[in-house]
Amino acid sequence: MPKPQQQLSKVLSKLDVFVLSIGAMLGWGWVVLSESWLTSAGSMGTLIAFIIGGLLVTFVGLTYAELASAMPKVGGEHAYVHRAMGDKAAFVASWAITLGYVSVVAFEAVALPTVIEYIFPNYQVGYLWTIAGWDVYLSWVLVGVGGTLFVIAINYFGLKPAAKVQVVLTFSIILVGLMLIFGSAVGGDSANFQPLFVNGATGIMAVLIMVPFLFIGFDVIPQTAEEANVPRRDIGKLLIISVLCAIAFYILIAIGVALALNNSALANTELATADAMTALFGSPFFGNLLVVAGVAGIMTSWNAFIIGGSRVMYAMANSGMLPAWFGHLHPKYKTPSNAIIFIGALAAVSPLLGRPALVWFVDSGGPAIVIAYLFVAISFIILRKREPQMERPYKAGRTTIVGWIALVLSIGFLVIYSPGMPAALTGPEWAIFCGWFLIGLYFFIQMIRDKYRDHAEGENQHIS
């Protein structure tokens, strides 16, 4: 697997970098999953889950902020873990975060036809099959495929155009989200906060396992750091600010929906956030307006994670961990075009699994994301001890305590996903997770063989 040596272009401004991150984290989950949060854990249980999850993301984000400012290299986690722990650990962390990105991209390809169904409930034609009790129609699949092709095209033709699209769409999401938040503050009913808890700790964990998936996105900043025309210290600052903004947004949306809809309404809704908007403003127009913002969220996440995933695969190819094909840089547009096409192709087939795949992608991507977080936390601690003089324009505290907290929280989240736990993964989720790492095992073995062969050739040349 030869290493392609090519150069990315520095085209991203501070605004571009911030909006890529915040847009990735907001996405579509706040529209489609709010009913699941509140019925699984209750209003207070949902808030507790987001506070605990927010702590994980904040401390992990601090380790990323320091390492991204110290090593503004394409691939993010790939560069940090490689420097701290070597090839093998870097491969595992990079492959894990790639599954996280791919799971989000696939999720959005299923989410788009779901939201179109809310606006046009009778557009399904061309029955294909039934999966997990849900009928899959050709028209439904084609909407997801069409959206995928659009996002692939945006990213294929350059990062800067993709960033401009991200700015417009992200501000649209924030504006409509604020309408819901302020509307609930004025027109909501505190009695709707009941029940405060559903299923106790089990309910909280059911929401908690979604949190890593919902907040993945801040690490798009490290992925694109090499393409950011931004001072290194500001990279770390922008990352942390985007994390805190996203945590606040999700908590306020959960409160807004809880204030707007009572338990009976939640039990009979398909898109609780949109129905909450309708109830607060007294017109279906506002519910549809929120759904349009949801479409914008789908596009921002879709866009950001094709960017992030393609950069990780590009970095892995440059390190000899994946075939050189993934490291091809388009000669004109300076984008990792082959990696973009590969991830887009995976997204294009995901609508064939139907709406049940939304939860499968959320839950299977979660542990992969946390594995990457764990490796970054360990790398943070190792590099603090081994390379104390390394330049760190943004420093996350004087000691390694931030890294240790991130490490402990990451391990705690991995335990929640484990078999036997109340929120353990199901069969389809394990199939996606294990299938991805089996594919990774093939590339891992190839990487080891190639490096062993290169080492042996080097030794032979030295002897001769």
Side-chain angles (χ1 to χ4, degrees):
M1 288 185 272
K3 304 175 185 180
Q5 299 296 325
Q6 300 161 79
Q7 192 68 39
L8 294 160
S9 301
K10 289 187 176 293
V11 296
L12 298 179
S13 66
K14 287 184 181 180
L15 179 63
D16 294 334
V17 170
F18 174 76
V19 171
L20 273 175
S21 175
I22 193 75
M25 285 186 280
L26 299 188
W28 168 246
W30 64 281
V31 177
V32 75
L33 295 174
S34 59
E35 176 268 334
S36 178
W37 307 334
L38 295 169
T39 55
S40 296
S43 57
M44 190 57 65
T46 297
L47 297 186
I48 290 172
F50 274 108
I51 290 169
I52 296 171
L55 284 174
L56 167 74
V57 176
T58 299
F59 281 101
V60 170
L62 285 167
T63 64
Y64 271 84
E66 176 171 308
L67 294 170
S69 66
M71 290 174 275
K73 301 292 185 183
V74 66
E77 296 91 343
H78 175 80
Y80 319 147
V81 180
H82 192 273
R83 182 162 177 168
M85 300 180 355
D87 289 340
K88 297 180 180 66
F91 182 96
V92 174
S94 302
W95 194 247
I97 199 65
T98 304
L99 173 56
Y101 292 150
V102 169
S103 68
V104 178
V105 171
F107 173 92
E108 306 303 355
V110 177
L112 181 61
T114 301
V115 69
I116 297 301
E117 184 181 7
Y118 182 88
I119 301 173
F120 305 106
N122 298 313
Y123 83 99
Q124 301 98 325
V125 294
Y127 171 80
L128 297 177
W129 45 69
T130 299
I131 294 181
W134 201 87
D135 296 336
V136 181
Y137 288 85
L138 178 62
S139 57
W140 202 88
V141 171
L142 290 177
V143 170
V145 173
T148 301
L149 294 176
F150 174 72
V151 178
I152 290 173
I154 291 174
N155 281 277
Y156 188 91
F157 294 115
L159 181 58
K160 188 64 177 180
K164 288 180 178 178
V165 171
Q166 190 84 350
V167 170
V168 174
L169 295 177
T170 300
F171 279 109
S172 301
I173 299 167
I174 292 171
L175 178 62
V176 176
L178 289 174
M179 287 179 64
L180 171 63
I181 291 164
F182 285 112
S184 66
V186 175
D189 186 350
S190 59
N192 293 339
F193 243 62
Q194 297 294 334
L196 296 179
F197 295 95
V198 176
N199 297 325
T202 300
I204 292 172
M205 283 193 286
V207 177
L208 204 54
I209 64 171
M210 300 183 189
V211 171
F213 179 92
L214 294 171
F215 283 101
I216 185 176
F218 67 84
D219 43 335
V220 172
I221 291 181
Q223 303 304 339
T224 58
E226 196 170 316
E227 299 165 271
N229 190 19
V230 175
R232 289 166 63 183
R233 178 176 173 79
D234 288 349
I235 292 173
K237 288 181 178 179
L238 289 167
L239 191 153
I240 290 302
I241 292 170
S242 69
V243 166
L244 295 177
C245 288
I247 292 170
F249 184 88
Y250 272 104
I251 288 174
L252 290 172
I253 289 295
I255 292 172
V257 175
L259 288 171
L261 300 177
N262 59 30
N263 204 40
S264 175
L266 284 171
N268 294 286
T269 181
E270 289 193 10
L271 287 179
T273 315
D275 288 344
M277 192 80 157
T278 297
L280 290 169
F281 290 91
S283 170
F285 168 81
F286 290 95
N288 287 332
L289 179 64
L290 187 135
V291 170
V292 171
V295 173
I298 290 172
M299 302 311 294
T300 57
S301 281
W302 220 339
N303 189 36
F305 290 114
I306 283 188
I307 291 171
S310 62
R311 269 62 182 179
V312 177
M313 300 193 88
Y314 169 83
M316 292 179 77
N318 272 284
S319 298
M321 297 180 182
L322 292 179
W325 184 85
F326 289 100
H328 172 72
L329 204 64
H330 194 284
K332 179 179 179 181
Y333 304 116
K334 302 300 180 184
T335 57
S337 50
N338 288 350
I340 289 169
I341 291 170
F342 174 77
I343 295 174
L346 293 179
V349 301
S350 60
L352 295 170
L353 299 175
R355 186 169 179 171
L358 285 173
V359 175
W360 300 342
F361 291 135
V362 170
D363 291 349
S364 62
I369 295 163
V370 177
I371 288 171
Y373 289 171
L374 175 64
F375 275 86
V376 171
I378 295 170
S379 299
F380 174 91
I381 295 167
I382 290 173
L383 291 172
R384 274 289 190 96
K385 291 184 178 295
R386 194 172 68 202
E387 300 187 42
Q389 302 307 314
M390 182 172 69
E391 184 183 358
R392 293 172 170 86
Y394 181 95
K395 198 164 185 179
R398 296 181 179 180
T399 69
T400 58
I401 186 64
V402 165
W404 285 107
I405 293 174
L407 186 150
V408 170
L409 287 171
S410 297
I411 292 172
F413 266 77
L414 287 175
V415 170
I416 292 173
Y417 294 109
S418 302
M421 295 297 290
L425 303 189
T426 64
E429 295 154 7
W430 278 119
I432 294 170
F433 181 84
C434 295
W436 180 261
F437 278 95
L438 282 174
I439 295 169
L441 180 62
Y442 168 80
F443 289 125
F444 184 84
I445 292 171
Q446 290 294 109
M447 177 189 76
I448 299 300
R449 285 177 177 173
D450 288 348
K451 292 189 180 295
Y452 177 80
R453 183 195 62 213
D454 292 344
H455 177 75
E457 290 176 353
E459 288 291 320
N460 290 336
Q461 289 177 0
H462 178 72
I463 294 171
S464 61

